[in-house]
Amino acid sequence: MRRSELEHAIRAATEIIRQDAVVIIGSQAILGSFTEDELPTEATLSEEVDIAPLKDDDAQSLATELDAAIGEMSHFHETHGFYVQGVGQGTAVLPAGWSERLISVKNANTSGRSGLCLEPHDLCAAKLIAGRAKDHLFVGALLKYGLVNPGLIAERLLAVSDDDVRRDRALSWIRSSPGI
């Protein structure tokens, strides 16, 4: 995925749900901090942008609306080669204070609307909590290229209180990584 595609996803999502801002929860939030040219290939492999409406109802109706309009296998996906996965803000287990560290992507390509991207260390913490092989590959590539600090990821993991078992597993993984 490229930064221009993230901007397109932000523009399309905010138009569909009629809000001025959305939260980018998944791996492509990294494009809020770095361009695709600064990132290793492993960090931009996904063709999916996980987007959470800032305001949604308990049934996550707006997230569902995003899936229907620009989600996987939609006309949008077929046309552009990437898609939006509508998600709730609770989809990812995040460290305390994450919402104060969001990085805004807002420019002419987003029609002046904002995509609020997870800060890279918060994103890595969430990915390690999820603990899938693709998440370890993603975080490992960012660590290998020196784009994130393992000590700061560990600090962020310590600020996760929603899932002690997965948090402790993630801490073990990051502590066994080179450079910590």
Side-chain angles (χ1 to χ4, degrees):
M1 178 159 294
R2 304 181 61 75
R3 173 76 177 256
S4 61
E5 292 170 325
L6 173 66
E7 292 166 345
H8 186 174
I10 293 165
R11 184 176 66 247
T14 55
E15 286 175 11
I16 289 166
I17 64 169
R18 299 161 303 282
Q19 291 184 14
D20 290 332
V22 291
V23 179
I24 313 302
I25 298 279
S27 63
Q28 297 316 297
I30 198 67
L31 289 165
S33 298
F34 302 99
T35 67
E36 64 274 4
D37 296 330
E38 298 171 295
L39 291 165
T41 303
E42 300 90 337
T44 59
L45 289 174
S46 182
E47 62 180 29
E48 165 188 341
V49 183
D50 295 327
I51 293 184
L54 274 179
K55 299 172 189 156
D56 207 345
D57 59 24
D58 291 340
Q60 297 184 357
S61 300
L62 293 177
T64 301
E65 191 175 336
L66 287 175
D67 277 340
I70 57 178
E72 190 172 18
M73 298 190 301
S74 66
H75 179 69
F76 181 92
H77 184 194
E78 292 172 11
T79 302
H80 301 291
F82 67 94
Y83 64 96
V84 169
Q85 175 75 49
V87 298
Q89 287 188 35
T91 297
V93 177
L94 294 162
W98 68 271
S99 61
E100 287 87 42
R101 294 185 291 268
L102 290 167
I103 296 165
S104 180
V105 173
K106 178 180 178 179
N107 56 42
N109 294 332
T110 65
S111 296
R113 296 185 183 121
S114 299
L116 305 172
C117 298
L118 291 178
E119 184 276 335
H121 297 90
D122 290 331
L123 174 59
C124 288
K127 288 294 184 186
L128 292 176
I129 293 282
R132 300 166 294 205
K134 68 178 185 175
D135 300 318
H136 290 135
L137 178 68
F138 176 85
V139 175
L142 295 178
L143 287 166
K144 178 181 175 183
Y145 287 90
L147 298 173
V148 291
N149 178 310
L152 188 50
I153 295 170
E155 284 179 31
R156 298 286 168 81
L157 285 166
L158 289 170
V160 170
S161 59
D162 296 345
D163 193 327
D164 294 350
V165 172
R166 291 193 304 166
R167 180 203 59 216
D168 292 347
R169 184 177 60 228
L171 276 166
S172 177
W173 188 91
I174 196 69
R175 288 179 174 151
S176 68
S177 296
I180 190 153

